[in-house]
Amino acid sequence: MSDEQNNEQGSGSVLGKSKRKPLLIGLAVGVAAIGLLYFAYDTFIGSRSVSTDNAYVGGDNAQVTPLTSGRVVEVLVTDTQPVRKGQLLFRIEDSDQRIALAQAEAELAAAQRRYGQSLAQNRALGASADASEAQINSAKASVASAEATLTKARTDFARRQALVGSGAVSGDELTTARQQLVSAQASASEARAMLAQMQAAAVSARRQEDAAVALTKGTSDTTAPEIRQAQAKLDQAKLDLERTIVRAPIDGVIAKRAIQVGQKVQAGGVAMTVVPVGHLFVDANFKETQLGKVRPGQSATLKSDFYGGDVVYHGKVIGFAGGTGSAFSLIPAQNATGNWIKVVQRLPVRIELDPKELQAHPLRIGLSMDAEIELTDAD
């Protein structure tokens, strides 16, 4: 190779090195500028909010469960049908409930009659006790009369017995006086026995009255225990009859209708579900690294894949789930292994939606949402 060729190659390498240096400097400046822009965005713009597309519409469904058993005779709604609170959903055959109601009405009437009979019996026992006590006074008078007769008979007998020796009283008169004394003693004993019997009968009659009155004391024809029991059975029968007509517990849309006409349903079985489309929320699953500044009360904006970006919903954070999704899964993650790899977890954040916006643009449970929370709002 000639000296001229060597000089040309040397000048070319020097020229290449002189061009490479400005390029490297420009590249470094560009990378630094990009890093600075990202830092500025993250500090002044990105740090003001957190967002996720892992969010879904949820709601507190109302399960319609009949509270009485029977055969379904009419179903007035079907899946996807909107209903209002109190609207008739289906009816259950009510023949058994009507029979039970008639029986309960009859039992209440019988209980009221028995109570009235008890009151009448109480009055009768009271009158009987009063009559027994009145007879006591008559018996006392008889005892007093018998004792007076006995006293006279004793006096007459003693007087005649004293005169027997003088001959002023004959033996027949003394015998008669003795017989009168014995008769007066017997009459007095009989009167006293009759008095004791009358007193015992009066006490027994009064105690019978007290025992009968104790069953109704402090009660009326509405508060007596047996009447209240019969009334409660009647109220239950009326309630069971009313429960054969099942109405919507809330406003919403029918979902999962599980009954047909002619089917026998059991009390407590789920017949259908009512979804409250006017009171929905969003569970947004944020990464744990995003939640350091998220607080309840912060505002949020949401977009639904159902309507696209043209419809924006507004809501606010109302709380956090009690654990991550993996913590409540059927098979929780077991990280105590030698090949453990750390995975960023997600925690559901519940966002309440504006009912007016839901009314204007209805959503359904399970739809996907994009959620963004403003971190600059006050807690």
Side-chain angles (χ1 to χ4, degrees):
M1 182 179 296
S2 63
D3 293 339
E4 185 176 353
Q5 290 177 341
N6 290 333
N7 291 334
E8 290 179 357
Q9 291 179 354
S11 62
S13 62
V14 172
L15 181 59
K17 289 181 180 180
S18 63
K19 291 181 179 180
R20 193 180 304 126
K21 186 174 181 180
L23 290 175
L24 293 176
I25 294 174
L27 179 62
V29 172
V31 170
I34 292 174
L36 182 62
L37 291 174
Y38 176 80
F39 175 79
Y41 172 81
D42 184 66
T43 301
F44 299 103
I45 299 177
S47 61
R48 295 181 180 179
S49 64
V50 290
S51 61
T52 182
D53 59 358
N54 189 351
Y56 305 93
V57 179
D60 295 325
N61 300 333
Q63 292 184 337
V64 180
T65 58
L67 300 179
T68 187
S69 302
R71 183 174 62 89
V72 178
V73 295
E74 186 178 17
V75 181
L76 302 175
V77 294
T78 186
D79 284 343
T80 73
Q81 179 177 337
V83 294
R84 304 291 295 177
K85 181 178 180 180
Q87 180 177 337
L88 179 61
L89 301 180
F90 62 93
R91 292 193 306 109
I92 299 174
E93 185 180 13
D94 58 3
S95 300
D96 293 338
Q97 287 77 8
R98 290 187 181 278
I99 293 174
L101 176 61
Q103 182 178 359
E105 290 174 342
E107 291 181 358
L108 176 60
Q112 291 172 337
R113 288 176 179 244
R114 287 194 300 270
Y115 181 77
Q117 183 180 9
S118 297
L119 294 180
Q121 185 177 2
N122 293 347
R123 291 190 292 269
L125 290 174
S128 176
D130 293 340
S132 297
E133 291 176 352
Q135 290 177 353
I136 291 176
N137 295 328
S138 177
K140 287 180 179 179
S142 298
V143 169
S145 176
E147 288 180 348
T149 302
L150 176 61
T151 300
K152 182 178 181 302
R154 283 174 179 170
T155 302
D156 290 345
F157 177 74
R159 185 182 303 117
R160 285 172 172 74
Q161 189 177 26
L163 296 175
V164 169
S166 63
V169 176
S170 64
D172 292 339
E173 290 182 357
L174 182 61
T175 300
T176 301
R178 183 181 291 110
Q179 290 175 349
Q180 291 177 348
L181 175 59
V182 172
S183 177
Q185 288 175 338
S187 297
S189 297
E190 183 180 359
R192 285 192 289 268
M194 184 62 68
L195 174 61
Q197 183 180 358
M198 292 295 180
Q199 289 174 334
V203 171
S204 177
R206 190 63 68 185
R207 287 180 178 176
Q208 289 179 359
E209 180 194 10
D210 293 340
V213 169
L215 297 176
T216 58
K217 185 178 181 180
T219 63
S220 65
D221 56 356
T222 57
T223 61
E226 59 272 20
I227 293 180
R228 292 183 64 183
Q229 183 178 6
Q231 183 65 53
K233 189 172 181 179
L234 176 60
D235 294 341
Q236 182 64 53
K238 290 180 179 179
L239 185 60
D240 289 341
L241 180 59
E242 292 175 358
R243 285 173 172 172
T244 60
I245 298 176
V246 182
R247 301 182 181 275
I250 59 173
D251 297 341
V253 173
I254 298 297
K256 297 182 180 180
R257 198 192 86 174
I259 60 171
Q260 301 294 335
V261 174
Q263 177 182 349
K264 184 176 181 180
V265 294
Q266 299 295 331
V270 179
M272 60 187 69
T273 302
V274 180
V275 180
V277 294
H279 298 82
L280 300 177
F281 53 80
V282 171
D283 285 329
N285 302 299
F286 284 93
K287 296 179 180 179
E288 55 187 323
T289 56
Q290 295 177 293
L291 297 176
K293 296 181 180 180
V294 177
R295 299 290 185 272
Q298 291 175 338
S299 61
T301 55
L302 306 101
K303 296 179 181 179
S304 170
D305 294 348
F306 187 75
Y307 293 105
D310 295 336
V311 177
V312 178
Y313 295 89
H314 298 83
K316 66 176 181 179
V317 177
I318 59 176
F320 302 84
T324 63
S326 62
F328 292 108
S329 62
L330 294 178
I331 304 178
Q334 299 294 329
N335 294 329
T337 60
N339 59 351
W340 172 74
I341 299 175
K342 183 176 180 180
V343 178
V344 177
Q345 300 296 315
R346 289 181 179 268
L347 184 70
V349 177
R350 181 155 295 185
I351 301 173
E352 184 180 41
L353 296 175
D354 187 348
K356 294 182 180 179
E357 294 179 348
L358 282 175
Q359 186 176 6
H361 298 90
L363 294 172
R364 294 295 185 268
I365 291 178
L367 293 179
S368 299
M369 302 286 286
D370 292 333
E372 183 176 0
I373 299 175
E374 296 295 331
L375 302 179
T376 56
D377 289 351
D379 293 348

